[in-house]
Amino acid sequence: MDLLQQLQWRYAVKLFDGNRRTSDEDIETLVAATHLAPSAAGLQPYKLVLVQNRELLAKLADHSMMNKDKINSADGLFVLAIYRQLSLDTFTRHVNQMIALGLIPPVPEAELTIRHQRFMARLPTEQDFQTWAHKQAYLALGTLLTGCAMLGIDACPMEGFETASYDEQLGLAEHSLTSSVILAYGTRSAADPGQSKTKYRRPLEQFLVRFA
Ligand SMILES: Cc1cc2nc3c(=O)[nH]c(=O)nc-3n(C[C@H](O)[C@H](O)[C@H](O)COP(=O)(O)O)c2cc1C
């Protein structure tokens, strides 16, 4: 499959064909691809939430501003939810996994607290941490979007939703998570005018700065 051809083929779908289902195999591939997305320090400060339950999709659609019809017609919805804060526990679990896999040398227990403090010193407020975590989540979104294009699955990435309502509906707050960005997937509707629109990107010479 040709990468550029698929990236030309994809567009942000505005209306899905509600009668078409995405195969379970493709969904599992998308999950696995997103799971492989890189993140700073390999910390993956987010979770991937997959919503396929129609009742829950309808509730979320009601809190999705101009995106209501997209979500109601989609086959499903991915929500990237970031950690609100990086606890010492989560940090320690991550470092211990890296040690167990031989990726980094063993670290004395007391050193973990110091390393956590050192890491957090660069992101002192909850806001700083979340800004950093959002960047990591968006990288995963990019992987998910490209994965959809490569598998011929239609999608619409979205920022237009009410974070607090999503967090409540999905029970995210109790897991110290908050929704970052979402992606609806499915099959484009024949009635979606978006598919006949010209794809616009700034001309390459205004985009690429090359030092050859
Ligand atoms: C992070 C992000 C958030 C977006 N939010 C929305 C949204 O809330 N609603 C919507 O209809 N499109 C949304 N879009 C789609 C963009 O408008 C679209 O990707 C852009 O105009 C380029 O067009 P194309 O994806 O069709 O090539 C979003 C895209 C990205 C990457």
Side-chain angles (χ1 to χ4, degrees), residues 10-12 14 66-67 70 138 157-160 199 201:
R10 69 146 296 281
Y11 71 99
K14 305 298 179 203
M66 67 298 210
N67 294 313
K70 284 160 218 158
Y138 273 62
M158 290 170 278
E159 286 176 332
K199 188 178 278 295
R201 295 294 187 267

Side-chain angles (χ1 to χ4, degrees), residues 98-111:
M98 305 275 277
I99 294 167
L101 292 169
L103 295 169
I104 55 169
V107 180
E109 193 69 27
E111 175 73 15

Side-chain angles (χ1 to χ4, degrees), residues 44-168:
Q44 295 175 287
Y46 50 74
K47 285 201 179 197
L48 183 64
V49 181
L50 172 57
V51 184
Q52 295 173 307
N53 178 290
R54 289 253 59 103
E55 219 171 287
L56 186 52
L57 282 169
K59 280 189 194 153
L60 294 173
D62 283 341
H63 297 282
S64 304
M65 306 171 185
M66 67 298 210
N67 294 313
K68 182 173 179 170
D69 293 345
K70 284 160 218 158
I71 294 173
N72 274 328
S73 63
D75 192 21
L77 185 75
F78 284 106
V79 178
L80 278 148
I82 58 162
Y83 296 167
R84 287 167 185 264
Q85 191 50 282
L86 184 67
S87 66
L88 175 61
D89 260 14
T90 307
F91 182 82
T92 300
R93 206 177 320 123
H94 173 71
V95 174
N96 283 337
Q97 279 294 338
M98 305 275 277
I99 294 167
L101 292 169
L103 295 169
I104 55 169
V107 180
E109 193 69 27
E111 175 73 15
L112 285 169
T113 313
I114 296 166
R115 286 203 187 183
H116 177 250
Q117 282 168 354
R118 208 183 296 148
F119 185 86
M120 295 314 294
R122 300 199 336 253
L123 305 165
T125 68
E126 207 160 280
Q127 185 62 51
D128 291 330
F129 175 76
Q130 291 186 14
T131 301
W132 175 81
H134 281 301
K135 291 182 197 169
Q136 315 309 317
Y138 273 62
L139 198 49
L141 173 76
T143 305
L144 180 56
L145 263 171
T146 306
C148 285
M150 290 307 287
L151 293 173
I153 298 166
D154 281 304
C156 186
M158 290 170 278
E159 286 176 332
F161 64 95
E162 296 162 21
T163 307
S165 303
Y166 265 59
D167 291 357
E168 193 190 326

Side-chain angles (χ1 to χ4, degrees), residues 176-195:
S176 290
L177 294 162
T178 182
S179 39
S180 171
V181 65
I182 62 176
L183 178 140
Y185 67 85
T187 304
R188 62 187 71 176
S189 162
D192 181 8
Q195 62 203 293

